[in-house]
């Protein structure tokens, strides 16, 4: 363990933000959090809690209640780990910032979820270009209490380790799957479409946009379709994919992906906003406000 955690952030250059990676696993320096840090957590927690009623999946809300997170103060990883280990065998590990892909996959494959130890500043309240403690802890961690989703995340990690050995195209395909599920996924709950992706759950604006705006497409989950689809890192998503259940998501990760990667290598990627004739469409977006370039 690193005794003195550092705050590792993207670097701003004349070409924009450049990601900086770190591999260190650190103890959460809980006693070092300032009153401002706890206040930022409280403001973000209360804001998102009010927005997510009727928008977040019931599975997420139930898991969050079971973890006893509150706005009172930044949670202690040790406290959350006791609950997580008992529920699904997962545990949180503190990290200083963005992890290299293989390190991230290895953590997931071993039921460890990396959580950035530091939280954004008051000036970054509405937007941050990288994951911080609030994104990781509020957005990602609760669903690790759900046994099926917890198994999906481990399977994804194992698949990532394998894809890393295959090559960059396979990694790009797999990254798109994570993006459109764990980060920006929607699910069909009994009362309608709901949010389970952490990138949405931790964002005020996108929590509303993804369900209520007419601009984005909402399309039924299709593994290979998703793995071909480009995405946005600088704006709200043009397309959201909808799963029927976490079981559907987990079952999709069971086959060997090697033949899938081989098939996809012969096919073009799909622009983020395209709708295909084969899609199961919940909403065909108007495209209002879309930028014409910048798909990843």
């Amino acid at each position: 363990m690193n005794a003195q955690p550092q705050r590792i952030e993207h670097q701003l250059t004349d070409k924009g933000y450049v990601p900086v990676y770190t591999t260190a696993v650190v103890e959460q320096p809980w006693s070092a959090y300032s009153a401002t840090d706890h206040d930022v957590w409280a403001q973000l927690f209360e804001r998102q809690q009010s927005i997510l009623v009727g928008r977040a999946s019931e599975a997420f809300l139930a898991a969050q209640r079971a973890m006893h997170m509150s706005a009172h103060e930044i949670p202690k990883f040790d406290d959350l780990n006791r609950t997580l280990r008992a529920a699904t065998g997962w545990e949180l590990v503190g990290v200083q910032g963005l992890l290299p892909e293989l390190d991230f996959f290895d953590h997931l494959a071993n039921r460890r979820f990396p959580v950035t130890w530091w939280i954004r500043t008051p000036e970054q309240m509405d937007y941050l270009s990288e994951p911080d403690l609030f994104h990781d802890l509020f957005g990602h961690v609760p669903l690790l209490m759900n046994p099926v989703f917890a198994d999906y995340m481990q399977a994804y990690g194992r698949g990532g380790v394998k894809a890393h050995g295959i090559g960059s195209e396979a990694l790009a395909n797999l990254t798109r799957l994570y993006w459109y599920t764990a980060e920006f996924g929607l699910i069909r709950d009994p009362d309608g479409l709901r949010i389970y992706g952490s990138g949405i759950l931790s964002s005020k604006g996108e929590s509303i946009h993804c369900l209520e705006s007419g601009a984005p497409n909402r399309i039924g989950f299709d593994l290979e379709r998703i793995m071909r689809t480009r995405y946005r890192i600088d704006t709200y998503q043009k397309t959201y994919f909808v799963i029927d259940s976490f079981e559907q998501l987990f079952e999709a990760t069971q086959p060997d992906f090697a033949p899938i990667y081989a098939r996809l290598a012969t096919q073009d990627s799909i622009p983020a906003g395209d709708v295909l004739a084969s899609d199961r469409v919940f909403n065909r977006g108007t495209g209002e406000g879309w930028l014409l370039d910048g798909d990843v």
Side-chain angles (χ1 to χ4, degrees), residues 17-131:
Y17 281 100
V18 175
V20 179
Y21 296 94
T22 174
T23 60
V25 171
V26 300
E27 294 283 358
Q28 182 190 26
W30 194 88
S31 61
Y33 289 129
S34 67
T36 299
D37 291 332
H38 288 293
D39 187 56
V40 167
W41 168 268
Q43 289 186 57
L44 289 169
F45 189 98
E46 290 174 343
R47 183 173 76 178
Q48 285 307 109
Q49 283 294 91
S50 64
I51 288 171
L52 293 177
V53 174
R55 294 188 175 99
S57 71
E58 180 53 36
F60 171 83
L61 296 174
Q64 192 182 58
R65 290 192 294 269
M67 296 201 80
H68 305 293
M69 286 192 193
S70 76
H72 176 61
E73 60 186 10
I74 293 173
K76 295 178 180 178
F77 295 177
D78 286 346
D79 292 343
L80 297 179
N81 275 340
R82 282 191 287 273
T83 304
L84 260 180
R85 288 190 193 109
T88 60
W90 275 77
E91 66 176 1
L92 312 181
V93 293
V95 295
Q96 299 183 121
L98 200 62
L99 293 174
E101 288 170 330
L102 186 56
D103 291 80
F104 179 66
F105 295 144
D106 182 69
H107 281 303
L108 297 188
N110 289 283
R111 294 179 95 85
R112 300 186 302 263
F113 194 84
V115 176
T116 305
W117 72 264
W118 54 265
I119 196 164
R120 68 194 71 182
T121 67
E123 293 74 28
Q124 297 169 316
M125 192 78 74
D126 292 320
Y127 178 75
L128 191 65
S129 63
E130 60 205 300

